[in-house]
């Protein structure tokens, strides 16, 4: 019993710390530090890379992408180094939830695509790489970030099955559902043909 209680306490600590790491709104931090204004007043008001790009500053967008992906990957890698693979998946999920629902922004955060890609790369590099490649191909063809994101996350369970990593399948499905829920306004605009393309201010 003491061992079980200790393990549960450690998992709770992993969950809380990963959530807090994921909650850091790097898009807002970067735009403020580079004097680009309040990201909430720009474009869609979202705190992610695509909206940062609407400031016209590609460096800021690149930094946001790196930091948002990095926090997901870092949470996974730290949890894996100190605990087991289940803890790594828990850390990835909690960091992702932190980005979507950050306590610092009254639980109104981003849409999670960069953080998703970062944690996928850390959990299984090849699956993460395939997700990134899918995003890049769709984005290059259609020039629509949301469509690239939706296709990328939707194919992630397929890559897991193909690469025989069934241990990630439940996590992949949960993340996919959450990203689709956060992208529902984008889905409506895609259907209406009014979704802006990458780089549009």
């Amino acid at each position: 019993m003491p061992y079980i209680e200790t393990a549960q306490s450690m998992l709770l600590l992993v969950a809380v710390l990963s959530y807090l790491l994921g909650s850091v709104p790097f898009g807002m931090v970067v735009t403020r530090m580079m004097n680009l204004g309040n990201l909430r007043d720009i474009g869609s008001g979202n705190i992610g890379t695509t909206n940062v790009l609407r400031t016209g500053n590609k460096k800021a967008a690149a930094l946001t992408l790196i930091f948002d992906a990095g926090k997901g990957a870092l949470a996974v890698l730290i949890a894996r180094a100190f605990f087991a693979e289940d803890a790594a998946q828990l850390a990835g999920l909690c960091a992702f939830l932190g980005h979507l629902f950050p306590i610092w922004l009254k639980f109104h955060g981003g849409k999670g695509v960069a953080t998703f890609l970062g944690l996928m790369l850390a959990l299984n590099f090849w699956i993460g790489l395939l997700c990134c490649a899918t995003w890049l191909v769709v984005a290059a063809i259609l020039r629509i970030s949301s469509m690239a994101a939706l296709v990328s996350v939707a194919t992630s369970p397929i890559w897991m099955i193909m690469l025989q990593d069934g241990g990630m399948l439940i996590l992949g499905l949960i993340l996919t559902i959450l990203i689709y829920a956060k992208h529902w306004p984008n889905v409506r605009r895609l259907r209406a043909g009014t979704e802006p393309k990458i780089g549009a201010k």
Side-chain angles (χ1 to χ4, degrees):
M1 288 296 292
Y3 173 78
I4 294 175
E5 291 176 358
T6 300
Q8 290 175 339
S9 298
M10 290 297 99
L11 287 176
L12 179 60
L13 181 63
V14 167
V16 171
L17 293 179
S18 298
Y19 169 81
L20 292 175
L21 175 60
S23 291
V24 179
F26 283 111
M28 297 191 74
V29 172
V30 169
T31 51
R32 286 285 179 87
M33 291 184 65
M34 298 181 70
N35 296 316
L36 299 174
N38 185 350
L39 196 54
R40 289 301 197 194
D41 298 327
I42 298 170
S44 65
N46 191 265
I47 64 171
T49 302
T50 301
N51 202 44
V52 174
L53 188 59
R54 294 190 179 107
T55 65
N57 192 309
K58 293 182 180 179
K59 181 179 179 181
L63 288 172
T64 301
L65 174 62
I66 292 169
F67 287 136
D68 279 350
K71 65 186 181 184
L74 185 61
V76 168
L77 295 174
I78 291 175
R80 179 182 284 151
F82 288 96
F83 304 101
E85 190 62 27
D86 288 346
Q89 289 199 29
L90 175 64
L93 174 61
C94 291
F96 182 80
L97 291 173
H99 182 77
L100 265 58
F101 311 107
I103 189 171
W104 324 115
L105 300 178
K106 299 180 179 178
F107 306 104
H108 182 60
K111 297 181 179 179
V113 179
T115 305
F116 165 84
L117 294 174
L119 69 89
M120 280 293 165
L121 284 167
L123 285 170
N124 185 311
F125 178 77
W126 296 110
I127 291 173
L129 192 63
L130 285 168
C131 290
C132 291
T134 302
W135 190 97
L136 287 170
V137 170
V138 177
I141 295 172
L142 300 180
R143 304 296 298 170
I144 300 176
S145 178
S146 60
M147 178 61 83
L150 293 170
V151 174
S152 177
V153 300
T155 57
S156 63
I158 298 174
W159 306 135
M160 292 171 193
I161 293 171
M162 290 179 63
L163 295 180
Q164 299 180 344
D165 196 340
M168 287 177 59
L169 189 56
I170 293 176
L171 175 63
L173 291 172
I174 292 172
L175 298 180
T176 299
I177 291 170
L178 287 170
I179 287 178
Y180 267 73
K182 292 290 285 187
H183 278 79
W184 195 245
N186 302 85
V187 172
R188 290 202 298 264
R189 289 194 295 270
L190 285 167
R191 294 176 64 181
T194 58
E195 181 74 340
K197 295 196 173 185
I198 294 173
K201 293 187 178 181

